[in-house]
Amino acid sequence: MPRNTPYPRPARRAYLMLALATALTGTLTACESSATAQGTARTPTTARSGVVAAQETRLAELAQQDVDAGAPGIVVRVDKGDGHVIEIARQAPWTRADHTLAASDAFRMGSNTKTMVATVVLQLVAEHRIQLTDPVEKWLPGLVPNGSAITLRMLLNHTSGLFNYTQDPDVLKAFTGQDSRAWTPRELIAAGVRHDPLFAPGTDYTYSNTNYVALGLVAEKATGHTLGDLIQQRIAEPLRLKNTYLATGTGTATGPNTKIGTGTGTGTGTAKSPALAHGYEPDADRIAPLLPPYAPAGTAFAGPARSAGYVDTTWINSSTQWAAGGMVSTARDWARFDSALLSGRLLPPAQLKEMKTTVAEEAEIPNRRYGLGLEKVVTPCGTVWGHNGQVPGYSSEDYTDATGRRTVSVFTTTIFGIAKPETAAANQALVNAAVCTMLDKPIPTTPPSAPTDS
C-alpha cells in the first residue's frame, strides 16, 4: 500500500502513477447514477453556467464508472474559488447496509496527516522554539541512532534514511488488524530503528513514516502539549474545522476534545463516529495477488466479511498511524486547511517558502517532488500542491493551486480495491478530471493507461 502503509514501493508507485501521476474488478452493480436519487451531489443554489453544470455531470459519470469498475465508494469535492462547489458521492449497493455514503462524511486521511504535522512544526520554527537544523538527538536523546546527524529538516522531507516502521513485520500485524496491540509512538520508532538505515542522513530520499512519528514527539517535547491538542489549538479551532481530529487507539475514533497521542501511550478512542465513512479492503483470497512479493505470506486485513469479496476495515487498529497518518477529516474541512495553508494564513512567508522547497522523489514518480510535508505535483492540467494518504480502507487525494484559492479532494473507500489496472485507470481518470475541473481546464478525454507493476 502506498504512503502510510507497509508496502511503500511497488504498490505506492502503481497507485501514484494512476492517481495524479499516482483493486477488485467483477460484478459490483452500479448505484443510481442520478445525483438526485442518491442525494449526495450538492452545489450552491445560485445559477451556474452550462460549463460548470457539464463539468459536474462529467465528474458524476466518472465517479460512477469508478464504482462500476470496483471501487466500493467515492467522494469528490471541487471548489474553483468562485462560489461554485461540486460535491459528489457514489457507492456500490452492497456497502449501503453499513453506511449511506455522503460527500460530508469523515474519512481517515492517512498521510495527508503529514501536512498538518509539518505545519505545526514550522509554526514552532517561526516562534523560534525549534530550528530546522536541530538534530533529532537534541529533542529525543537516545531514541534515534545517529540522531546527532539527522536534522528536523531531514525528517520533514524524508531524507533522513530511517527505515519505514510500517514495513516491520510486528507493526504490520497491527496495521492490518491481525493484532490488537496498541503501539505507542516511541515503540513505533523503536520498530523502525531496529532495522538498518537505508542511506546516510541527507544523501538521498526515501518516504518513511518513522520520520513523522519522530516529529510528533519533537513537537510535544518542545511545547509540553499533546500532538492532538496542538493540531486542535493551532489549526482546527482557528479555521473552524468542526470534523477534524487525530484518531488513536486500537479501533475507535477520538473526538476533538479527547487527550491523545503522548509519547508514553496512545490511549483509546471514546466512540465510533456515525459520520465516518466505512472503509473496505479485499479479503484474504482476493488480496494475495495484489501484494508485493516481499509481503509476508498470509498478509491480509482483518474485519467483518462483506459481499463482493471485501472486509470492513473501518474500526481496524489505528495505533500504528498517529503523526504519520492518524487524522480524520472531511473533504470540506481539508479544503479549508489546504486553502489557508497555501494562501499564507497558517505560516509566515519564510516558513511557507521552506515548506515548498522540494527534493526529487523516487525515480519512478518523476512528476512529484517532496517539500516539508507538502508535495508539488505536475498533473495533465497544471501544477498543484498537496498530499495523498492511504490507511486501511481509505485513500485520499487533496490538492490546491499555488494560491490556495482552488481546492480538490477525491476520497476512495479502499486502497487495494483500486489496485487492479482497470479499476486504477478509472480512479485516475476521475482524479485527473477533478483536478482539471478545479483548474478550469478541459477534462482529458483519452482514458489513462494502467500501470503494469501493481
Side-chain angles (χ1 to χ4, degrees):
M1 295 183 310
R3 296 298 192 187
N4 195 46
T5 72
Y7 323 113
R9 289 281 187 172
R12 175 171 179 257
R13 175 169 65 250
Y15 183 82
L16 292 176
M17 290 181 68
L18 278 185
L20 275 182
T22 25
L24 288 188
T25 61
T27 59
L28 298 186
T29 305
C31 60
E32 292 91 348
S33 60
S34 166
T36 302
Q38 189 161 320
T40 52
R42 308 184 187 98
T43 54
T45 56
T46 54
R48 295 172 299 137
S49 69
V51 171
V52 174
Q55 289 172 331
E56 180 171 1
T57 297
R58 181 56 180 154
L59 288 177
E61 292 172 349
L62 290 170
Q64 185 60 50
Q65 290 174 17
D66 202 354
V67 170
D68 293 345
I74 293 290
V75 165
V76 181
R77 186 181 193 275
V78 179
D79 186 345
K80 300 196 292 180
D82 58 1
H84 294 148
V85 179
I86 297 172
E87 291 184 327
I88 297 165
R90 293 290 183 272
Q91 68 185 123
W94 61 265
T95 67
R96 292 181 187 159
D98 291 323
H99 180 79
T100 301
L101 188 64
S104 58
D105 281 346
F107 270 65
R108 297 190 187 276
M109 299 301 294
S111 285
N112 279 288
T113 300
K114 293 178 174 65
T115 308
M116 276 199 177
V117 172
T119 300
V120 169
V121 169
L122 287 168
Q123 288 175 340
L124 297 177
V125 170
E127 296 164 11
H128 306 290
R129 302 174 79 166
I130 61 177
Q131 298 182 57
L132 291 176
T133 54
D134 283 347
V136 178
E137 184 69 15
K138 175 179 179 179
W139 295 102
L140 307 176
L143 191 59
V144 177
N146 200 26
S148 60
I150 298 173
T151 66
L152 301 189
R153 183 190 296 277
M154 293 175 190
L155 297 179
L156 285 161
N157 66 10
H158 297 293
T159 59
S160 70
L162 292 176
F163 183 86
N164 188 351
Y165 71 81
T166 49
Q167 294 183 64
D168 180 85
D170 291 335
V171 178
L172 173 59
K173 290 179 182 177
F175 186 90
T176 57
Q178 296 176 335
D179 185 351
S180 61
R181 170 186 173 183
W183 288 74
T184 70
R186 288 178 178 271
E187 289 172 340
L188 294 174
I189 291 178
V193 301
R194 68 188 176 205
H195 299 268
D196 291 338
L198 303 176
F199 49 80
T203 64
D204 203 347
Y205 169 98
T206 292
Y207 192 94
S208 174
N209 292 303
T210 310
N211 294 323
Y212 274 75
V213 173
L215 286 166
L217 291 178
V218 169
E220 291 191 336
K221 184 74 173 289
T223 63
H225 296 283
T226 68
L227 180 62
D229 283 348
L230 290 171
I231 290 171
Q232 288 300 314
Q233 294 164 5
R234 291 171 169 269
I235 299 175
E237 291 174 4
L239 297 181
R240 299 181 182 179
L241 308 182
K242 302 298 186 182
N243 300 291
T244 298
Y245 54 91
L246 188 65
T248 187
T250 57
T252 54
T254 55
N257 298 317
T258 303
K259 298 291 184 181
I260 51 180
T262 67
T264 56
T266 57
T268 57
T270 58
K272 295 180 179 179
S273 169
L276 184 64
H278 277 241
Y280 306 91
E281 293 300 340
D283 62 22
D285 291 338
R286 290 167 176 81
I287 203 169
L290 303 174
L291 296 173
Y294 50 81
T299 297
F301 291 93
R306 296 291 182 263
S307 61
Y310 281 87
V311 295
D312 186 338
T313 61
T314 306
W315 308 115
I316 208 166
N317 189 344
S318 62
S319 68
T320 63
Q321 298 165 16
W322 199 55
M327 291 303 299
V328 173
S329 189
T330 65
R332 181 178 181 180
D333 270 12
W334 210 266
R336 184 174 293 181
F337 163 62
D338 274 347
S339 180
L341 178 62
L342 269 293
S343 64
R345 292 172 56 195
L346 292 175
L347 292 174
Q351 279 66 51
L352 184 57
K353 182 179 179 181
E354 292 278 13
M355 183 177 247
K356 296 173 73 175
T357 300
T358 62
V359 296
E361 297 196 38
E362 294 100 326
E364 64 264 25
I365 314 176
N367 65 324
R368 285 185 175 245
R369 295 183 62 87
Y370 207 94
L372 305 187
L374 187 70
E375 286 185 293
K376 180 180 181 181
V377 186
V378 179
T379 80
C381 288
T383 298
V384 296
W385 293 87
H387 213 289
N388 70 355
Q390 295 83 37
V391 289
Y394 303 88
S395 297
S396 52
E397 302 276 339
D398 294 273
Y399 303 103
T400 181
D401 66 358
T403 68
R405 178 171 173 263
R406 301 167 181 261
T407 59
V408 63
S409 295
V410 178
F411 294 171
T412 310
T413 57
T414 188
I415 301 172
F416 282 101
I418 52 172
K420 283 194 173 180
E422 54 267 46
T423 320
N427 195 257
Q428 183 197 10
L430 173 61
V431 174
N432 283 347
V435 171
C436 292
T437 298
M438 174 189 75
L439 297 175
D440 262 333
K441 299 292 180 64
I443 294 175
T445 56
T446 302
S449 299
T452 58
D453 60 350
S454 62

